[in-house]
Amino acid sequence: MRHLLSASDLGGEDVAAILDTADKLKQTLLGREVRKLPTLRGRTVVTAFYENSTRTRVSFEVAGKWMSADVINVSATGSSVGKGESLRDTALTLAAAGADCVVLRHPASGAARRVADWLADHGTSVVNAGDGTHEHPTQALLDAQTLRESLGELTGRRIVIVGDVLHSRVARSNVRLLHRLGAEVVLVAPPTLLPTGVRDWPVRVTHDLDESLEGADAVMVLRVQAERMHGSFFPSAREYAIAYGLNERRLARLPEHAPVLHPGPMIRGMEISHAVADSPRSLVTDQVRNGVHVRMAVLYHLLAGEETAV
Amino acid sequence: MSGTDAGTTLFRGVLPYGEGEPVDVLVADGRIAEIGRVTQRADRVVDAQGLVALPGFVDLHTHLREPGREDTETVQTASEAAALGGYTAVFAMANTDPVADNPVIVEYVWQRGRDVGLVDVHPIGAVSVGLRGERLAELGAMARSRAGVRLFSDDGHCVSDPLLMRRALEYTRALGGVVAQHAEDPRLTGGAQAHEGPAAAERGLAGWPAPAEESVVARDCLLAHHTGGRLHVCHVSTAGTADVLRWARGRGEGTITAEVTPHHLLLTDERLATYDPVNKVNPPLRTAADTEALRTALAEGVVDCVATDHAPHAPQEKDTEWACARPGMLGLQTALSVVVLTMVETGLLDWRGVARVMSERPAEIAGLADQGRPLRVGEPANLTLVDPEARWVVRGGELASIADNTPFEGMELPATVAATMLRGRLTSLDGKVLS
């Protein structure tokens, strides 16, 4: 594996390998006073973030540092990007400066793929940390890991994803990855927030959240930006919350074993109620915790030589 | 410009419209002097065995980028591309910098075309001041200028205000003018990056829905009929638009014509897979079903002609992430080959049909008296000779345009332009420009 650009780059064995590695790393670090492995010593990881992000950026940075990689952050406002440098030139600069891996967050769909193409002749790996409304593959991996911890194998499990699927890179990556893992995916959204052709995706589509919760093994709630209502995607935040928000009443309909996930940042009172967000059923902080281990595993599989053991 | 100083040229063994037995064509004084078995001597003899003779091509839709973006194309380089592509007349869109919304700019472009002299360059005037869609530009002044503007377009932008469009269709009646509309309802295409369909949705690219074009075309057809104006629909890109045109044509007082680009006849949104913006264009590449419908519409005459929408862009405007890239692609030197691939090799058009869609209809639409004429003795010698058997591989760097990015890069295409003649003077021969 040279790059991680899309969840569809990953075969079933790749996913298993990454998640098993993540698990092993988690166990290794458990209870350690000094959380530092020498695995990626001498490797340079650059996180280039062209969008605001707290959790993803911190997660990658921690992941790199816990494996002793040199992690350098480039932010779009604090670099030559602000002066109008092209993404291509920035990518070539980072590669020339010695980056072994570029972790890219960018508002343009396909940006990570473009960077990987521009760096084809360099040894640099590219990790897509979210490109526009396209994909966010490490989010899907950490979601799968969190679900696996909670439910065991995901084959045949019914995972409900509710929210703004149209604009969600998390949804696209999760649909691909969960399908690869044999799970049954149900997408719930108003018709305005579903992509064209979604009925040909390997999913079941419904506009009825209540109905979808029965028999669900997990619910993944997607963020819905309130400004979407200005594009007439839905009439009001209140109407959205009533029809598609996950509240306590709906939580009660969900089978007891089924957890609630959210990729964050959560808008409480909109897509998820305060009580559900803080309920024991919510695995939001587990997702963040697993995010570090999964990203360690991704960096490990991309950067460590075959001979380097975890 | 008269062509009288070009001497006489004899084409030996050509097939007019690809039909019948090979004949010789003698050109003298800028006109076709003789067709048949010519024994007379000529200043220049071109061995044209096996070549198809057609009337010189006319392109109603090009972006020559001068003035303003001479780093991507100039009237000189575009004229060379046109001559190599078989064109004897091209229409230059108004979205230059400054905008061609006044007599000064259109006369400048017209004069530059004459100075280069490889192809007739006809400036298109903007419909609205600064292409802003707010108030009419001085259409009459541009029509009465030396450039003699007859086509008006805000191309790149839609004249989306129905009242302004109505007035433009009405007002240009007095000028013998045509309003060429870039049909795109901007309220439906905000932020759009690619054809709204499964391919774009899967890749997270904001959609450009087909009804954004179709609804404006329907509205404009109704306005044309209501006003008796002349509407020309630029770059028809969807099956639905073809249906609207089929319904609207001949239903009222207005005159409705339409063009399709070579790229919309061939390329589809499957090209989104690589996110390579050489495939980014407006209107966007659509589906295979749309290309099929457009080919049929062109063959039936529902869409009148092929226009390139030749739109050069600098590498830094294309070799970027998709959302940052400018829409548009080169077209002048690949148009014929794409038409042969999509229309001739499929049996949808014969060479007479190619003459119709590449030359005769566009000349009629624009009111060019000396272009798109029949291959007959006494007619102006605006000719394109096509080698129907040749095949070539497209290399952007080898095209005459300054910009060198093209979605056809590396594709092997049928047919080459062996010679182009403008009023009796050869402007290109065997892939070389003759200036």
Side-chain angles (χ1 to χ4, degrees):
Chain A
M1 196 165 71
R2 162 88 190 274
H3 306 294
L4 179 56
L5 307 177
S6 159
S8 44
D9 291 350
L10 300 168
E13 285 178 18
D14 297 320
V15 179
I18 289 169
L19 299 188
D20 289 346
T21 304
D23 208 33
K24 215 183 289 178
L25 287 164
K26 185 178 189 173
Q27 300 309 324
T28 308
L29 293 169
L30 207 62
R32 277 211 194 184
E33 203 160 301
V34 179
R35 286 180 293 189
K36 199 93 170 168
L37 305 172
T39 324
L40 295 183
R41 204 160 60 189
R43 304 288 181 154
T44 303
V45 174
V46 176
T47 65
F49 274 57
Y50 289 72
E51 279 182 342
N52 290 331
S53 157
T54 308
R55 74 198 61 226
T56 305
R57 163 169 235 153
V58 167
S59 183
F60 270 107
E61 188 170 352
V62 170
K65 287 187 168 164
W66 282 4
M67 290 197 294
S68 306
D70 295 308
V71 182
I72 295 159
N73 297 314
V74 181
S75 70
T77 45
S79 72
S80 51
V81 169
K83 297 174 212 150
E85 184 173 69
S86 73
L87 181 60
R88 182 170 179 271
D89 284 338
T90 304
L92 291 170
T93 300
L94 297 177
D100 296 297
C101 178
V102 173
V103 177
L104 182 75
R105 160 69 60 92
H106 198 281
S109 297
R113 165 70 191 265
R114 293 293 285 157
V115 168
D117 287 346
W118 290 321
L119 299 184
D121 298 334
H122 297 70
T124 311
S125 292
V126 179
V127 176
N128 182 3
D131 62 328
T133 55
H134 177 225
E135 283 227 37
H136 192 358
T138 60
Q139 178 72 41
L141 285 165
L142 74 88
D143 287 341
Q145 183 76 324
T146 308
L147 289 168
R148 216 168 66 143
E149 285 177 356
S150 174
L151 302 170
E153 284 306 308
L154 299 182
T155 315
R157 292 292 196 170
R158 184 182 299 172
I159 315 297
V160 171
I161 301 178
V162 56
D164 183 357
V165 179
L166 177 63
H167 300 99
S168 176
R169 52 193 172 214
V170 175
R172 282 174 181 75
S173 287
N174 262 307
V175 165
R176 288 177 175 122
L177 198 78
L178 290 169
H179 175 68
R180 175 64 49 91
L181 296 175
E184 179 194 335
V185 180
V186 181
L187 297 180
V188 187
T192 45
L193 293 178
L194 286 167
T196 315
V198 71
R199 292 190 189 271
D200 294 327
W201 292 13
V203 297
R204 192 162 75 75
V205 179
T206 169
H207 311 305
D208 184 345
L209 179 57
D210 290 312
E211 170 260 332
S212 74
L213 294 177
E214 287 170 29
D217 292 301
V219 182
M220 209 176 269
V221 184
L222 301 174
R223 184 163 71 117
V224 177
Q225 291 172 294
E227 58 263 32
R228 297 289 178 214
M229 68 188 168
H230 301 309
S232 295
F233 289 99
F234 49 87
S236 68
R238 194 176 58 155
E239 178 157 323
Y240 182 88
I242 290 168
Y244 297 100
L246 192 63
N247 53 31
E248 283 176 285
R249 180 181 62 77
R250 289 194 167 116
L251 191 63
R253 294 178 76 105
L254 200 60
E256 287 207 0
H257 70 276
V260 175
L261 284 76
H262 192 301
M266 291 186 282
I267 306 177
R268 290 168 186 248
M270 176 79 174
E271 73 267 7
I272 191 164
S273 76
H274 190 78
V276 174
D278 290 338
S279 86
R281 305 278 290 278
S282 159
L283 299 183
V284 173
T285 48
D286 296 71
Q287 288 174 275
V288 176
R289 209 170 288 123
N290 284 329
V292 176
H293 302 125
V294 159
R295 285 166 180 134
M296 289 173 79
V298 166
L299 294 176
Y300 169 79
H301 281 277
L302 289 173
L303 298 180
E306 294 293 321
E307 71 285 359
T308 320
V310 176
Chain B
M1 292 297 293
S2 68
T4 47
D5 54 353
T8 54
T9 303
L10 178 61
F11 296 103
R12 283 229 180 269
V14 297
L15 296 165
Y17 305 105
E19 296 167 355
E21 294 301 310
V23 293
D24 304 331
V25 174
L26 179 70
V27 173
D29 295 329
R31 294 189 174 270
I32 299 174
E34 207 177 329
I35 299 178
R37 177 108 182 87
V38 177
T39 51
Q40 195 184 322
R41 293 169 64 103
D43 298 331
R44 185 199 284 265
V45 178
V46 177
D47 176 13
Q49 298 293 329
L51 302 183
V52 173
L54 300 172
F57 301 156
V58 177
D59 192 346
L60 294 180
H61 194 147
T62 66
H63 298 272
L64 305 190
R65 300 296 186 225
E66 187 177 342
R69 285 306 303 270
E70 292 85 348
D71 59 316
T72 61
E73 192 78 296
T74 63
V75 172
Q76 172 74 44
T77 55
S79 295
E80 291 173 8
L84 292 168
Y87 286 92
T88 50
V90 297
F91 284 75
M93 276 297 173
N95 64 340
T96 47
D97 182 13
V99 172
D101 60 0
N102 62 76
V104 176
I105 302 298
V106 294
E107 285 194 355
Y108 170 79
V109 173
W110 174 79
Q111 185 61 51
R112 288 286 297 121
R114 281 174 66 96
D115 293 346
V116 174
L118 287 168
V119 62
D120 289 350
V121 174
H122 297 283
I124 295 172
V127 171
S128 69
V129 175
L131 307 173
R132 283 192 294 273
E134 291 163 2
R135 57 194 175 88
L136 291 180
E138 290 181 347
L139 309 181
M142 290 189 279
R144 285 185 288 272
S145 76
R146 288 193 300 155
V149 175
R150 289 295 176 273
L151 249 59
F152 298 94
S153 182
D154 275 2
D155 180 65
H157 302 271
C158 181
V159 181
S160 63
D161 177 356
L163 181 64
L164 191 72
M165 188 61 186
R166 177 209 165 130
R167 296 289 185 239
L169 286 164
E170 274 179 323
Y171 189 81
T172 48
R173 287 180 57 192
L175 310 173
V178 179
V179 181
Q181 173 72 298
H182 169 122
E184 172 183 357
D185 186 333
R187 284 289 290 150
L188 290 172
T189 59
Q193 295 293 331
H195 170 64
E196 183 171 303
E202 192 185 315
R203 289 168 186 92
L205 294 169
W208 200 126
E213 173 174 304
E214 294 151 2
S215 59
V216 170
V217 173
R219 179 201 76 178
D220 289 351
C221 288
L222 297 171
L223 288 173
H225 287 325
H226 186 70
T227 59
R230 294 181 60 196
L231 169 71
H232 178 70
V233 181
C234 294
H235 41 52
V236 171
S237 72
T238 79
T241 299
D243 287 340
V244 171
L245 291 169
R246 200 171 276 123
W247 174 84
R249 290 179 68 123
R251 242 170 216 266
E253 294 298 304
T255 305
I256 296 163
T257 58
E259 72 192 29
V260 62
T261 70
H263 48 269
H264 287 114
L265 291 172
L266 179 62
L267 306 177
T268 69
D269 62 353
E270 281 179 27
R271 288 281 185 119
L272 299 176
T274 62
Y275 288 102
D276 187 339
V278 295
N279 299 301
K280 186 171 177 178
V281 67
N282 190 21
L285 300 180
R286 306 266 184 202
T287 68
D290 291 303
T291 63
E292 284 302 318
L294 295 173
R295 293 177 191 189
T296 305
L298 182 63
E300 289 175 351
V302 169
V303 169
D304 298 81
C305 63
V306 172
T308 62
D309 196 3
H310 179 84
H313 287 296
Q316 69 271 17
E317 294 163 328
K318 279 297 200 180
D319 199 10
T320 66
E321 55 276 34
W322 182 276
C324 283
R326 301 274 300 144
M329 36 186 71
L330 299 180
L332 284 167
Q333 285 179 256
T334 44
L336 169 76
S337 293
V338 174
V339 168
V340 171
L341 179 66
T342 56
M343 302 299 295
V344 178
E345 294 195 344
T346 53
L348 289 165
L349 286 182
D350 56 13
W351 290 106
R352 258 190 205 274
V354 173
R356 172 167 61 83
V357 303
M358 298 288 283
S359 175
E360 294 161 8
R361 284 300 290 144
E364 282 167 27
I365 291 165
L368 301 182
D370 65 341
Q371 298 278 353
R373 299 295 303 163
L375 302 178
R376 278 203 304 249
V377 172
E379 293 289 352
N382 295 316
L383 302 172
T384 300
L385 268 57
V386 174
D387 183 345
E389 302 302 325
R391 298 187 73 83
W392 63 296
V393 176
V394 181
R395 298 287 173 213
E398 294 169 6
L399 301 176
S401 293
I402 297 172
D404 62 2
N405 53 83
T406 165
F408 303 113
E409 182 74 38
M411 286 178 78
E412 191 185 278
L413 296 176
T416 54
V417 172
T420 309
M421 175 170 269
L422 177 65
R423 281 187 289 282
R425 195 166 69 77
L426 283 166
T427 54
S428 81
L429 184 65
D430 296 329
K432 300 271 191 303
V433 174
L434 304 180
S435 40

